[in-house]
């Protein structure tokens, strides 16, 4: 299987560690290993005594227990740890889908969510979100797309790149549609916990439907992308077994220090995530002011959740030259929408989950006030 380049990751490979202002990343402000170890008495000593051999293939018991605790009615045995969310997406598409399956994918999306299935020989049917509908994809359209050949529906909420999030009622409708056909539901929930209105956030898909796979990770709402700890939670034993068998070929097992630190962070997850949600909301209010000041230049849909949004140039022109000019002019990195596909070329992604956002946004604002780009 020969996969095409992952456009967004190639873009970050060039710019992420050299630009002055990162204004488009999707992870939140991170912590140091020391800050994590300070969360619990005795953690530092336990970490120093940690054996560095292979870990359990499905993820260590302490880690799986903490992950399971974040769901209702999910046992540790129904959790399969992975190296990041990315490995889980790859293993799901290669192990649980068959060539010739139709796969309905919430679009635009993080490339691997459609690309791995497409390269594995599935027919991808986009279920498209449009800005004129507030990035809310249409449920009747989903009903039309799901048919007898559907292997899986793949959704992502809170959504990358738009910041849209399904309500509980919308998730219930999705579950109704997929369960009528009995197909799998792969629900990328890596931004879960960052909903601005937590009270109306839906339950994870794996709690709502027995053939759903919920994808989680430490990278986004916990700000711990460098741990590379992700997981799936699912009640369908055949899915878990197929993905576990695939994992023997991708990573075998996770890293012991990462699993230790992830379990520690999950024990303090509520505080970590609520702090980062507050940071996103604080930065989002700066971004709202910025968007009002530049209303003639940009259009946008205010996000409902998460650390990213997907504005567009009001002119409808390709945003790629604009992003290049901004990078050159004030050292701020924006992400051209065409990395998600041609249809989104007037858009660009912004990310506001880090503490340096205010400074970067001020630099961008100052540059735009004196530039014609
Ligand atoms: C929607 C979505 N899913 C999965 C991933 C992959 O996450 P990770 O980098 O933690 O493997 C990302 C990363 O940006 C993402 O945005």
């Amino acid at each position: 299987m020969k996969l095409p380049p992952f456009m967004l990751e190639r873009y970050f490979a060039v710019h992420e560690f050299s630009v002055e202002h990162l204004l488009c990343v999707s992870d939140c402000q991170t912590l140091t290993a020391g800050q994590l170890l300070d969360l619990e008495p005795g953690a530092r000593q336990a970490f120093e005594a940690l054996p560095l051999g292979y870990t359990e293939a499905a993820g260590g018991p302490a880690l799986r227990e903490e992950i399971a605790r974040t769901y209702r009615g999910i046992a540790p045995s129904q959790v399969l740890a992975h190296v990041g969310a990315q490995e889980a997406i790859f293993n799901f598409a290669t192990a649980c889908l068959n060539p010739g399956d139709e796969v309905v994918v919430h679009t635009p999306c993080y490339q691997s969510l459609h690309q791995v299935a497409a390269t594995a020989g599935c027919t991808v049917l986009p279920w498209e979100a449009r800005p004129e509908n507030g990035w809310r994809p249409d449920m009747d359209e989903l009903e039309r797309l799901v048919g007898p050949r559907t292997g899986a529906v793949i959704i992502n909420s809170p959504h990358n790149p738009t910041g849209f999030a399904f309500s509980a009622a919308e998730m219930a409708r999705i579950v109704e549609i997929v369960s009528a056909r009995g197909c799998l539901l792969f629900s990328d929930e890596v931004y879960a916990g960052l909903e601005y209105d937590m009270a109306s956030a839906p339950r994870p898909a794996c709690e709502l439907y027995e053939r759903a796979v919920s994808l989680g990770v430490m990278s986004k709402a916990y700000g711990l992308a460098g741990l590379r700890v992700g997981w799936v939670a699912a009640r369908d034993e055949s899915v878990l077994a197929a993905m576990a068998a695939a994992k023997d070929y991708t990573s075998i097992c996770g890293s012991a220090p990462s699993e230790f630190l992830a379990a520690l962070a999950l024990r303090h997850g509520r505080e970590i995530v609520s702090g980062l949600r507050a940071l996103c909301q604080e930065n989002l209010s700066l971004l709202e002011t910025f968007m009002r000041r530049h209303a003639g230049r940009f259009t946008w849909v205010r996000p409902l959740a998460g650390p990213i949004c997907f504005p567009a140039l009001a002119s409808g022109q390709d945003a790629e030259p604009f992003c290049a000019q901004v990078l050159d002019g004030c050292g701020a990195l924006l992400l051209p929408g065409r990395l998600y596909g041609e249809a989104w070329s007037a858009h660009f992604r912004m990310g506001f989950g880090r503490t340096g956002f205010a400074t970067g946004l001020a630099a961008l604002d100052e540059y735009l006030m004196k530039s014609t780009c």
Side-chain angles (χ1 to χ4, degrees):
M1 186 163 88
K2 193 162 182 196
L3 286 156
F6 200 122
M7 304 298 280
L8 180 148
E9 299 300 346
R10 287 298 92 213
Y11 185 74
F12 278 125
V14 174
H15 298 294
E16 186 173 1
F17 295 97
S18 55
V19 297
E20 199 176 344
H21 306 293
L22 273 174
L23 288 184
C24 61
V25 288
S26 63
D27 56 348
C28 291
Q29 187 63 33
T30 198
L31 295 168
T32 64
Q35 284 170 319
L36 275 187
L37 292 169
D38 284 343
L39 290 172
E40 275 176 19
R44 189 166 265 102
Q45 292 85 332
F47 188 59
E48 282 172 8
L50 186 73
L52 294 178
Y54 283 109
T55 57
E56 285 188 35
L63 176 66
R64 286 203 291 165
E65 202 167 296
E66 291 307 328
I67 294 170
R69 239 194 266 280
T70 66
Y71 299 93
R72 285 187 201 150
I74 295 291
S77 59
Q78 293 168 319
V79 170
L80 180 62
H82 282 85
V83 178
Q86 190 74 302
E87 184 192 31
I89 294 170
F90 184 88
N91 286 348
F92 173 79
T94 52
C96 302
L97 301 174
N98 296 302
D101 279 357
E102 285 181 356
V103 181
V104 178
V105 185
H106 187 172
T107 301
C109 66
Y110 187 63
Q111 189 174 338
S112 48
L113 291 173
H114 71 83
Q115 190 72 70
V116 185
T119 307
C122 300
T123 301
V124 169
L125 306 178
W127 181 34
E128 207 168 285
R130 298 178 186 91
E132 58 270 28
N133 300 331
W135 295 117
R136 173 173 284 100
D138 181 66
M139 293 295 161
D140 294 338
E141 195 179 324
L142 178 64
E143 200 162 20
R144 284 194 295 277
L145 288 168
V146 175
R149 294 173 55 207
T150 306
V153 171
I154 298 179
I155 57 172
N156 169 217
S157 179
H159 186 240
N160 175 354
T162 66
F164 172 76
F166 290 119
S167 65
E170 287 161 343
M171 267 305 273
R173 181 80 184 105
I174 293 170
V175 166
E176 192 178 84
I177 293 168
V178 292
S179 57
R181 288 285 179 186
C183 60
L184 290 167
L185 175 63
F186 187 84
S187 178
D188 181 329
E189 297 163 4
V190 300
Y191 298 96
L194 296 176
E195 294 86 351
Y196 313 144
D197 176 12
M198 283 302 286
S200 67
R203 299 301 311 160
C206 63
E207 294 180 18
L208 303 174
Y209 176 46
E210 64 279 2
R211 297 212 73 213
V213 179
S214 284
L215 178 69
V217 82
M218 299 306 294
S219 307
K220 312 296 181 182
Y222 298 88
L224 298 170
L227 293 183
R228 310 306 302 132
V229 172
W231 61 86
V232 291
R235 288 185 279 150
D236 185 315
E237 281 177 24
S238 65
V239 166
L240 289 167
M243 290 186 70
K247 194 184 166 194
D248 290 338
Y249 282 96
T250 50
S251 64
I252 303 175
C253 65
S255 132
S258 287
E259 291 203 350
F260 178 98
L261 293 171
L264 172 57
L266 285 164
R267 284 197 289 280
H268 301 270
R270 224 179 266 268
E271 304 90 272
I272 296 173
V273 174
S274 64
L276 291 174
R277 189 189 316 123
L279 176 63
C280 287
Q281 287 178 281
E282 218 173 279
N283 285 340
L284 179 58
S285 67
L286 301 177
L287 188 53
E288 266 185 300
T289 308
F290 171 91
M291 285 295 171
R292 265 199 302 274
R293 267 160 76 78
H294 298 279
R297 201 192 286 259
F298 306 127
T299 60
W300 82 318
V301 176
R302 190 187 187 277
L304 301 177
I308 48 179
C309 62
F310 207 38
L313 295 184
S315 65
Q317 285 173 337
D318 186 352
E320 194 166 40
F322 165 74
C323 294
Q325 267 176 283
V326 163
L327 180 60
D328 195 40
C330 66
L333 190 72
L334 303 171
L335 190 128
R338 65 166 53 250
L339 301 184
Y340 286 85
E342 281 296 313
W344 316 103
S345 61
H347 291 260
F348 58 96
R349 189 177 88 177
M350 294 192 77
F352 47 88
R354 297 215 191 157
T355 48
F357 179 76
T359 311
L361 190 69
L364 175 62
D365 186 50
E366 192 185 328
Y367 172 70
L368 291 178
M369 293 313 271
K370 57 179 197 239
S371 135
T372 53
C373 74

